[in-house]
Amino acid sequence: MRIMNHPILGEQKDIEWVTIIVNGKPLKAKKGEMILAALHAEGIIVNRYTTKRHEPRGIYCAIGQCTDCMMVVNGIPNVRTCITPVEDGMTVDVQEDLGKWRGDKGDNASYW
C-alpha cells in the first residue's frame, strides 16, 4: 500500500512509474523510491533467508544498519534494499544464505 494523498504533504502528483523485475516477474514502482518500499507496497515482505535455519527475513530497521533487507540486485548479492532506489529494468531476487554473484558456482568467499 502506498500513501498517495498524505494529510500533511498533500497529494503526490507527476509520479513517474518504472518497471523492475522481482523474482522473475515485472512490478511497477515509483521512480526513485527505495526497493524495499516498492516491494512492501506490493505485499512482498521476504527479502532473504538465513543461512543456518533458512528463516525468512524482511524489513527491520529500514535505515541500512541491519542486514535483514539484503537481496540480490542486478546479480549483485547483499544489496541493502531499504537504502537503494529503484531504477527502470533492474532485477531484484530473494537472497538465499550469503548470496551468490550471477554465474557464481558456490564459492561465496571469493567476494568477501
Side-chain angles (χ1 to χ4, degrees), residues 34-68:
M34 299 303 119
I35 296 168
L36 189 59
L39 300 178
H40 199 264
E42 295 296 323
I44 299 170
I45 59 171
V46 175
N47 303 106
R48 70 178 186 93
Y49 290 92
T50 60
T51 302
K52 284 188 176 181
R53 296 186 182 172
H54 195 69
E55 295 173 324
R57 291 292 185 255
I59 190 170
Y60 183 71
C61 78
I63 59 171
Q65 297 300 306
C66 74
T67 58
D68 281 348

PDB file of all heavy atoms in Angstrom, residues 34-68:
ATOM      1  N   MET A  34      12.720   3.625  -2.663  1.00  0.00           N
ATOM      2  CA  MET A  34      13.618   2.556  -2.273  1.00  0.00           C
ATOM      3  C   MET A  34      13.034   1.212  -2.707  1.00  0.00           C
ATOM      4  O   MET A  34      11.810   1.029  -2.712  1.00  0.00           O
ATOM      5  CB  MET A  34      13.855   2.548  -0.760  1.00  0.00           C
ATOM      6  CG  MET A  34      14.505   3.824  -0.230  1.00  0.00           C
ATOM      7  SD  MET A  34      16.072   4.225  -1.005  1.00  0.00           S
ATOM      8  CE  MET A  34      15.687   5.801  -1.738  1.00  0.00           C
ATOM      9  N   ILE A  35      13.894   0.276  -3.051  1.00  0.00           N
ATOM     10  CA  ILE A  35      13.442  -1.034  -3.498  1.00  0.00           C
ATOM     11  C   ILE A  35      12.515  -1.648  -2.465  1.00  0.00           C
ATOM     12  O   ILE A  35      11.441  -2.163  -2.800  1.00  0.00           O
ATOM     13  CB  ILE A  35      14.640  -1.971  -3.754  1.00  0.00           C
ATOM     14  CG1 ILE A  35      15.503  -1.450  -4.890  1.00  0.00           C
ATOM     15  CG2 ILE A  35      14.169  -3.391  -4.040  1.00  0.00           C
ATOM     16  CD1 ILE A  35      16.849  -2.154  -5.025  1.00  0.00           C
ATOM     17  N   LEU A  36      12.903  -1.605  -1.209  1.00  0.00           N
ATOM     18  CA  LEU A  36      12.107  -2.207  -0.136  1.00  0.00           C
ATOM     19  C   LEU A  36      10.714  -1.597  -0.059  1.00  0.00           C
ATOM     20  O   LEU A  36       9.730  -2.305   0.152  1.00  0.00           O
ATOM     21  CB  LEU A  36      12.829  -2.059   1.203  1.00  0.00           C
ATOM     22  CG  LEU A  36      12.227  -2.809   2.377  1.00  0.00           C
ATOM     23  CD1 LEU A  36      12.175  -4.305   2.106  1.00  0.00           C
ATOM     24  CD2 LEU A  36      13.018  -2.537   3.634  1.00  0.00           C
ATOM     25  N   ALA A  37      10.591  -0.297  -0.269  1.00  0.00           N
ATOM     26  CA  ALA A  37       9.278   0.364  -0.251  1.00  0.00           C
ATOM     27  C   ALA A  37       8.402  -0.134  -1.394  1.00  0.00           C
ATOM     28  O   ALA A  37       7.210  -0.370  -1.219  1.00  0.00           O
ATOM     29  CB  ALA A  37       9.439   1.877  -0.326  1.00  0.00           C
ATOM     30  N   ALA A  38       9.004  -0.306  -2.573  1.00  0.00           N
ATOM     31  CA  ALA A  38       8.256  -0.803  -3.725  1.00  0.00           C
ATOM     32  C   ALA A  38       7.762  -2.226  -3.477  1.00  0.00           C
ATOM     33  O   ALA A  38       6.614  -2.562  -3.788  1.00  0.00           O
ATOM     34  CB  ALA A  38       9.117  -0.752  -4.979  1.00  0.00           C
ATOM     35  N   LEU A  39       8.616  -3.055  -2.904  1.00  0.00           N
ATOM     36  CA  LEU A  39       8.227  -4.432  -2.610  1.00  0.00           C
ATOM     37  C   LEU A  39       7.131  -4.484  -1.554  1.00  0.00           C
ATOM     38  O   LEU A  39       6.149  -5.212  -1.688  1.00  0.00           O
ATOM     39  CB  LEU A  39       9.443  -5.241  -2.145  1.00  0.00           C
ATOM     40  CG  LEU A  39      10.603  -5.364  -3.126  1.00  0.00           C
ATOM     41  CD1 LEU A  39      11.745  -6.148  -2.501  1.00  0.00           C
ATOM     42  CD2 LEU A  39      10.158  -6.006  -4.413  1.00  0.00           C
ATOM     43  N   HIS A  40       7.314  -3.706  -0.506  1.00  0.00           N
ATOM     44  CA  HIS A  40       6.337  -3.688   0.591  1.00  0.00           C
ATOM     45  C   HIS A  40       4.978  -3.212   0.096  1.00  0.00           C
ATOM     46  O   HIS A  40       3.941  -3.732   0.503  1.00  0.00           O
ATOM     47  CB  HIS A  40       6.856  -2.805   1.724  1.00  0.00           C
ATOM     48  CG  HIS A  40       6.185  -3.068   3.026  1.00  0.00           C
ATOM     49  ND1 HIS A  40       5.128  -2.329   3.476  1.00  0.00           N
ATOM     50  CD2 HIS A  40       6.423  -4.004   3.968  1.00  0.00           C
ATOM     51  CE1 HIS A  40       4.734  -2.794   4.643  1.00  0.00           C
ATOM     52  NE2 HIS A  40       5.507  -3.811   4.965  1.00  0.00           N
ATOM     53  N   ALA A  41       4.969  -2.238  -0.797  1.00  0.00           N
ATOM     54  CA  ALA A  41       3.711  -1.719  -1.351  1.00  0.00           C
ATOM     55  C   ALA A  41       2.957  -2.785  -2.137  1.00  0.00           C
ATOM     56  O   ALA A  41       1.742  -2.727  -2.262  1.00  0.00           O
ATOM     57  CB  ALA A  41       3.981  -0.511  -2.237  1.00  0.00           C
ATOM     58  N   GLU A  42       3.678  -3.765  -2.658  1.00  0.00           N
ATOM     59  CA  GLU A  42       3.067  -4.849  -3.427  1.00  0.00           C
ATOM     60  C   GLU A  42       2.857  -6.106  -2.592  1.00  0.00           C
ATOM     61  O   GLU A  42       2.515  -7.159  -3.121  1.00  0.00           O
ATOM     62  CB  GLU A  42       3.926  -5.171  -4.652  1.00  0.00           C
ATOM     63  CG  GLU A  42       3.998  -4.036  -5.642  1.00  0.00           C
ATOM     64  CD  GLU A  42       2.647  -3.706  -6.268  1.00  0.00           C
ATOM     65  OE1 GLU A  42       1.861  -4.632  -6.534  1.00  0.00           O
ATOM     66  OE2 GLU A  42       2.371  -2.514  -6.484  1.00  0.00           O
ATOM     67  N   GLY A  43       3.091  -6.013  -1.284  1.00  0.00           N
ATOM     68  CA  GLY A  43       2.852  -7.148  -0.395  1.00  0.00           C
ATOM     69  C   GLY A  43       3.991  -8.150  -0.317  1.00  0.00           C
ATOM     70  O   GLY A  43       3.833  -9.229   0.251  1.00  0.00           O
ATOM     71  N   ILE A  44       5.148  -7.808  -0.864  1.00  0.00           N
ATOM     72  CA  ILE A  44       6.309  -8.704  -0.805  1.00  0.00           C
ATOM     73  C   ILE A  44       7.088  -8.356   0.455  1.00  0.00           C
ATOM     74  O   ILE A  44       7.641  -7.264   0.567  1.00  0.00           O
ATOM     75  CB  ILE A  44       7.188  -8.549  -2.059  1.00  0.00           C
ATOM     76  CG1 ILE A  44       6.381  -8.901  -3.298  1.00  0.00           C
ATOM     77  CG2 ILE A  44       8.445  -9.420  -1.944  1.00  0.00           C
ATOM     78  CD1 ILE A  44       7.066  -8.554  -4.605  1.00  0.00           C
ATOM     79  N   ILE A  45       7.135  -9.288   1.409  1.00  0.00           N
ATOM     80  CA  ILE A  45       7.748  -8.970   2.696  1.00  0.00           C
ATOM     81  C   ILE A  45       8.983  -9.806   3.024  1.00  0.00           C
ATOM     82  O   ILE A  45       9.651  -9.545   4.006  1.00  0.00           O
ATOM     83  CB  ILE A  45       6.722  -9.102   3.844  1.00  0.00           C
ATOM     84  CG1 ILE A  45       6.164 -10.515   3.912  1.00  0.00           C
ATOM     85  CG2 ILE A  45       5.612  -8.083   3.675  1.00  0.00           C
ATOM     86  CD1 ILE A  45       5.303 -10.790   5.140  1.00  0.00           C
ATOM     87  N   VAL A  46       9.311 -10.806   2.209  1.00  0.00           N
ATOM     88  CA  VAL A  46      10.504 -11.621   2.453  1.00  0.00           C
ATOM     89  C   VAL A  46      11.596 -11.188   1.489  1.00  0.00           C
ATOM     90  O   VAL A  46      11.399 -11.175   0.280  1.00  0.00           O
ATOM     91  CB  VAL A  46      10.212 -13.131   2.292  1.00  0.00           C
ATOM     92  CG1 VAL A  46      11.487 -13.944   2.428  1.00  0.00           C
ATOM     93  CG2 VAL A  46       9.185 -13.591   3.316  1.00  0.00           C
ATOM     94  N   ASN A  47      12.752 -10.825   2.055  1.00  0.00           N
ATOM     95  CA  ASN A  47      13.887 -10.372   1.254  1.00  0.00           C
ATOM     96  C   ASN A  47      14.984 -11.416   1.134  1.00  0.00           C
ATOM     97  O   ASN A  47      15.670 -11.474   0.126  1.00  0.00           O
ATOM     98  CB  ASN A  47      14.499  -9.105   1.863  1.00  0.00           C
ATOM     99  CG  ASN A  47      13.481  -8.013   1.996  1.00  0.00           C
ATOM    100  OD1 ASN A  47      13.034  -7.739   3.103  1.00  0.00           O
ATOM    101  ND2 ASN A  47      13.081  -7.418   0.905  1.00  0.00           N
ATOM    102  N   ARG A  48      15.160 -12.177   2.189  1.00  0.00           N
ATOM    103  CA  ARG A  48      16.222 -13.176   2.187  1.00  0.00           C
ATOM    104  C   ARG A  48      15.879 -14.277   3.172  1.00  0.00           C
ATOM    105  O   ARG A  48      14.932 -14.155   3.953  1.00  0.00           O
ATOM    106  CB  ARG A  48      17.574 -12.550   2.537  1.00  0.00           C
ATOM    107  CG  ARG A  48      17.679 -12.102   3.982  1.00  0.00           C
ATOM    108  CD  ARG A  48      19.068 -11.521   4.274  1.00  0.00           C
ATOM    109  NE  ARG A  48      19.209 -11.235   5.696  1.00  0.00           N
ATOM    110  CZ  ARG A  48      19.725 -12.071   6.589  1.00  0.00           C
ATOM    111  NH1 ARG A  48      20.160 -13.253   6.228  1.00  0.00           N
ATOM    112  NH2 ARG A  48      19.811 -11.730   7.864  1.00  0.00           N
ATOM    113  N   TYR A  49      16.675 -15.358   3.098  1.00  0.00           N
ATOM    114  CA  TYR A  49      16.545 -16.474   4.034  1.00  0.00           C
ATOM    115  C   TYR A  49      17.885 -16.685   4.714  1.00  0.00           C
ATOM    116  O   TYR A  49      18.933 -16.641   4.071  1.00  0.00           O
ATOM    117  CB  TYR A  49      16.110 -17.752   3.308  1.00  0.00           C
ATOM    118  CG  TYR A  49      14.688 -17.681   2.819  1.00  0.00           C
ATOM    119  CD1 TYR A  49      14.394 -17.230   1.545  1.00  0.00           C
ATOM    120  CD2 TYR A  49      13.637 -18.044   3.656  1.00  0.00           C
ATOM    121  CE1 TYR A  49      13.086 -17.150   1.100  1.00  0.00           C
ATOM    122  CE2 TYR A  49      12.321 -17.961   3.216  1.00  0.00           C
ATOM    123  CZ  TYR A  49      12.055 -17.518   1.937  1.00  0.00           C
ATOM    124  OH  TYR A  49      10.761 -17.434   1.513  1.00  0.00           O
ATOM    125  N   THR A  50      17.863 -16.935   6.032  1.00  0.00           N
ATOM    126  CA  THR A  50      19.095 -17.088   6.794  1.00  0.00           C
ATOM    127  C   THR A  50      19.832 -18.367   6.416  1.00  0.00           C
ATOM    128  O   THR A  50      19.244 -19.308   5.884  1.00  0.00           O
ATOM    129  CB  THR A  50      18.804 -17.099   8.307  1.00  0.00           C
ATOM    130  OG1 THR A  50      17.938 -18.194   8.605  1.00  0.00           O
ATOM    131  CG2 THR A  50      18.178 -15.798   8.761  1.00  0.00           C
ATOM    132  N   THR A  51      21.129 -18.381   6.714  1.00  0.00           N
ATOM    133  CA  THR A  51      21.987 -19.498   6.339  1.00  0.00           C
ATOM    134  C   THR A  51      21.702 -20.750   7.160  1.00  0.00           C
ATOM    135  O   THR A  51      21.480 -21.814   6.610  1.00  0.00           O
ATOM    136  CB  THR A  51      23.473 -19.110   6.502  1.00  0.00           C
ATOM    137  OG1 THR A  51      23.721 -17.962   5.699  1.00  0.00           O
ATOM    138  CG2 THR A  51      24.391 -20.225   6.078  1.00  0.00           C
ATOM    139  N   LYS A  52      21.699 -20.641   8.470  1.00  0.00           N
ATOM    140  CA  LYS A  52      21.577 -21.837   9.315  1.00  0.00           C
ATOM    141  C   LYS A  52      20.180 -22.447   9.317  1.00  0.00           C
ATOM    142  O   LYS A  52      20.013 -23.640   9.129  1.00  0.00           O
ATOM    143  CB  LYS A  52      21.983 -21.515  10.758  1.00  0.00           C
ATOM    144  CG  LYS A  52      23.462 -21.400  10.952  1.00  0.00           C
ATOM    145  CD  LYS A  52      23.786 -21.271  12.421  1.00  0.00           C
ATOM    146  CE  LYS A  52      25.290 -21.249  12.613  1.00  0.00           C
ATOM    147  NZ  LYS A  52      25.651 -21.158  14.020  1.00  0.00           N
ATOM    148  N   ARG A  53      19.176 -21.644   9.545  1.00  0.00           N
ATOM    149  CA  ARG A  53      17.819 -22.177   9.728  1.00  0.00           C
ATOM    150  C   ARG A  53      16.879 -21.920   8.557  1.00  0.00           C
ATOM    151  O   ARG A  53      15.711 -22.277   8.624  1.00  0.00           O
ATOM    152  CB  ARG A  53      17.221 -21.607  11.003  1.00  0.00           C
ATOM    153  CG  ARG A  53      17.970 -22.024  12.236  1.00  0.00           C
ATOM    154  CD  ARG A  53      17.239 -21.559  13.458  1.00  0.00           C
ATOM    155  NE  ARG A  53      17.984 -21.907  14.647  1.00  0.00           N
ATOM    156  CZ  ARG A  53      17.672 -21.494  15.848  1.00  0.00           C
ATOM    157  NH1 ARG A  53      16.625 -20.722  16.023  1.00  0.00           N
ATOM    158  NH2 ARG A  53      18.386 -21.847  16.884  1.00  0.00           N
ATOM    159  N   HIS A  54      17.364 -21.254   7.544  1.00  0.00           N
ATOM    160  CA  HIS A  54      16.548 -20.915   6.372  1.00  0.00           C
ATOM    161  C   HIS A  54      15.269 -20.159   6.793  1.00  0.00           C
ATOM    162  O   HIS A  54      14.172 -20.400   6.302  1.00  0.00           O
ATOM    163  CB  HIS A  54      16.196 -22.170   5.575  1.00  0.00           C
ATOM    164  CG  HIS A  54      15.696 -21.854   4.201  1.00  0.00           C
ATOM    165  ND1 HIS A  54      16.501 -21.331   3.215  1.00  0.00           N
ATOM    166  CD2 HIS A  54      14.466 -21.957   3.663  1.00  0.00           C
ATOM    167  CE1 HIS A  54      15.780 -21.145   2.132  1.00  0.00           C
ATOM    168  NE2 HIS A  54      14.556 -21.508   2.371  1.00  0.00           N
ATOM    169  N   GLU A  55      15.445 -19.227   7.726  1.00  0.00           N
ATOM    170  CA  GLU A  55      14.320 -18.429   8.208  1.00  0.00           C
ATOM    171  C   GLU A  55      14.153 -17.180   7.347  1.00  0.00           C
ATOM    172  O   GLU A  55      15.144 -16.567   6.942  1.00  0.00           O
ATOM    173  CB  GLU A  55      14.550 -18.018   9.664  1.00  0.00           C
ATOM    174  CG  GLU A  55      14.568 -19.198  10.598  1.00  0.00           C
ATOM    175  CD  GLU A  55      14.961 -18.808  12.020  1.00  0.00           C
ATOM    176  OE1 GLU A  55      15.819 -17.921  12.185  1.00  0.00           O
ATOM    177  OE2 GLU A  55      14.408 -19.408  12.954  1.00  0.00           O
ATOM    178  N   PRO A  56      12.920 -16.778   7.060  1.00  0.00           N
ATOM    179  CA  PRO A  56      12.696 -15.584   6.242  1.00  0.00           C
ATOM    180  C   PRO A  56      13.030 -14.305   7.013  1.00  0.00           C
ATOM    181  O   PRO A  56      12.825 -14.225   8.218  1.00  0.00           O
ATOM    182  CB  PRO A  56      11.208 -15.643   5.923  1.00  0.00           C
ATOM    183  CG  PRO A  56      10.613 -16.440   7.036  1.00  0.00           C
ATOM    184  CD  PRO A  56      11.666 -17.417   7.464  1.00  0.00           C
ATOM    185  N   ARG A  57      13.551 -13.329   6.292  1.00  0.00           N
ATOM    186  CA  ARG A  57      13.840 -12.014   6.859  1.00  0.00           C
ATOM    187  C   ARG A  57      13.249 -10.957   5.950  1.00  0.00           C
ATOM    188  O   ARG A  57      13.162 -11.113   4.745  1.00  0.00           O
ATOM    189  CB  ARG A  57      15.354 -11.782   6.988  1.00  0.00           C
ATOM    190  CG  ARG A  57      16.013 -12.652   8.027  1.00  0.00           C
ATOM    191  CD  ARG A  57      15.548 -12.247   9.421  1.00  0.00           C
ATOM    192  NE  ARG A  57      16.234 -12.964  10.458  1.00  0.00           N
ATOM    193  CZ  ARG A  57      15.691 -13.947  11.163  1.00  0.00           C
ATOM    194  NH1 ARG A  57      14.473 -14.349  10.912  1.00  0.00           N
ATOM    195  NH2 ARG A  57      16.369 -14.527  12.110  1.00  0.00           N
ATOM    196  N   GLY A  58      12.859  -9.837   6.552  1.00  0.00           N
ATOM    197  CA  GLY A  58      12.280  -8.731   5.812  1.00  0.00           C
ATOM    198  C   GLY A  58      12.669  -7.422   6.457  1.00  0.00           C
ATOM    199  O   GLY A  58      13.714  -7.305   7.092  1.00  0.00           O
ATOM    200  N   ILE A  59      11.809  -6.447   6.347  1.00  0.00           N
ATOM    201  CA  ILE A  59      12.100  -5.112   6.868  1.00  0.00           C
ATOM    202  C   ILE A  59      12.315  -5.162   8.385  1.00  0.00           C
ATOM    203  O   ILE A  59      11.582  -5.832   9.098  1.00  0.00           O
ATOM    204  CB  ILE A  59      10.972  -4.125   6.501  1.00  0.00           C
ATOM    205  CG1 ILE A  59      11.376  -2.703   6.811  1.00  0.00           C
ATOM    206  CG2 ILE A  59       9.670  -4.494   7.160  1.00  0.00           C
ATOM    207  CD1 ILE A  59      10.425  -1.665   6.262  1.00  0.00           C
ATOM    208  N   TYR A  60      13.363  -4.481   8.835  1.00  0.00           N
ATOM    209  CA  TYR A  60      13.614  -4.405  10.268  1.00  0.00           C
ATOM    210  C   TYR A  60      13.942  -2.962  10.643  1.00  0.00           C
ATOM    211  O   TYR A  60      13.130  -2.265  11.210  1.00  0.00           O
ATOM    212  CB  TYR A  60      14.741  -5.356  10.683  1.00  0.00           C
ATOM    213  CG  TYR A  60      14.986  -5.362  12.167  1.00  0.00           C
ATOM    214  CD1 TYR A  60      14.071  -5.929  13.041  1.00  0.00           C
ATOM    215  CD2 TYR A  60      16.128  -4.787  12.709  1.00  0.00           C
ATOM    216  CE1 TYR A  60      14.280  -5.921  14.406  1.00  0.00           C
ATOM    217  CE2 TYR A  60      16.356  -4.780  14.073  1.00  0.00           C
ATOM    218  CZ  TYR A  60      15.431  -5.350  14.913  1.00  0.00           C
ATOM    219  OH  TYR A  60      15.648  -5.326  16.264  1.00  0.00           O
ATOM    220  N   CYS A  61      15.120  -2.480  10.273  1.00  0.00           N
ATOM    221  CA  CYS A  61      15.490  -1.124  10.686  1.00  0.00           C
ATOM    222  C   CYS A  61      15.095  -0.070   9.648  1.00  0.00           C
ATOM    223  O   CYS A  61      14.806   1.057   9.999  1.00  0.00           O
ATOM    224  CB  CYS A  61      16.987  -1.039  10.981  1.00  0.00           C
ATOM    225  SG  CYS A  61      18.044  -0.926   9.527  1.00  0.00           S
ATOM    226  N   ALA A  62      15.132  -0.437   8.374  1.00  0.00           N
ATOM    227  CA  ALA A  62      14.767   0.456   7.258  1.00  0.00           C
ATOM    228  C   ALA A  62      15.671   1.682   7.120  1.00  0.00           C
ATOM    229  O   ALA A  62      15.289   2.658   6.496  1.00  0.00           O
ATOM    230  CB  ALA A  62      13.310   0.875   7.348  1.00  0.00           C
ATOM    231  N   ILE A  63      16.876   1.616   7.690  1.00  0.00           N
ATOM    232  CA  ILE A  63      17.827   2.727   7.541  1.00  0.00           C
ATOM    233  C   ILE A  63      19.222   2.241   7.147  1.00  0.00           C
ATOM    234  O   ILE A  63      20.191   2.979   7.254  1.00  0.00           O
ATOM    235  CB  ILE A  63      17.899   3.601   8.816  1.00  0.00           C
ATOM    236  CG1 ILE A  63      18.316   2.774  10.027  1.00  0.00           C
ATOM    237  CG2 ILE A  63      16.597   4.330   9.047  1.00  0.00           C
ATOM    238  CD1 ILE A  63      18.623   3.597  11.276  1.00  0.00           C
ATOM    239  N   GLY A  64      19.337   0.989   6.707  1.00  0.00           N
ATOM    240  CA  GLY A  64      20.602   0.471   6.209  1.00  0.00           C
ATOM    241  C   GLY A  64      21.579  -0.013   7.256  1.00  0.00           C
ATOM    242  O   GLY A  64      22.734  -0.277   6.938  1.00  0.00           O
ATOM    243  N   GLN A  65      21.152  -0.140   8.511  1.00  0.00           N
ATOM    244  CA  GLN A  65      22.071  -0.547   9.572  1.00  0.00           C
ATOM    245  C   GLN A  65      22.093  -2.055   9.811  1.00  0.00           C
ATOM    246  O   GLN A  65      23.121  -2.602  10.166  1.00  0.00           O
ATOM    247  CB  GLN A  65      21.719   0.179  10.879  1.00  0.00           C
ATOM    248  CG  GLN A  65      21.873   1.669  10.788  1.00  0.00           C
ATOM    249  CD  GLN A  65      23.290   2.084  10.447  1.00  0.00           C
ATOM    250  OE1 GLN A  65      24.247   1.705  11.113  1.00  0.00           O
ATOM    251  NE2 GLN A  65      23.442   2.859   9.391  1.00  0.00           N
ATOM    252  N   CYS A  66      20.974  -2.720   9.616  1.00  0.00           N
ATOM    253  CA  CYS A  66      20.938  -4.175   9.795  1.00  0.00           C
ATOM    254  C   CYS A  66      21.125  -4.829   8.424  1.00  0.00           C
ATOM    255  O   CYS A  66      21.356  -4.149   7.428  1.00  0.00           O
ATOM    256  CB  CYS A  66      19.626  -4.610  10.444  1.00  0.00           C
ATOM    257  SG  CYS A  66      18.172  -4.572   9.364  1.00  0.00           S
ATOM    258  N   THR A  67      21.016  -6.125   8.361  1.00  0.00           N
ATOM    259  CA  THR A  67      21.185  -6.812   7.074  1.00  0.00           C
ATOM    260  C   THR A  67      19.943  -7.596   6.668  1.00  0.00           C
ATOM    261  O   THR A  67      20.008  -8.414   5.758  1.00  0.00           O
ATOM    262  CB  THR A  67      22.388  -7.775   7.140  1.00  0.00           C
ATOM    263  OG1 THR A  67      22.168  -8.710   8.203  1.00  0.00           O
ATOM    264  CG2 THR A  67      23.684  -7.027   7.366  1.00  0.00           C
ATOM    265  N   ASP A  68      18.834  -7.351   7.315  1.00  0.00           N
ATOM    266  CA  ASP A  68      17.640  -8.144   7.031  1.00  0.00           C
ATOM    267  C   ASP A  68      17.023  -7.865   5.663  1.00  0.00           C
ATOM    268  O   ASP A  68      16.302  -8.692   5.132  1.00  0.00           O
ATOM    269  CB  ASP A  68      16.589  -7.961   8.127  1.00  0.00           C
ATOM    270  CG  ASP A  68      16.918  -8.784   9.355  1.00  0.00           C
ATOM    271  OD1 ASP A  68      17.809  -9.651   9.272  1.00  0.00           O
ATOM    272  OD2 ASP A  68      16.284  -8.571  10.398  1.00  0.00           O
TER     273      ASP A  68
END
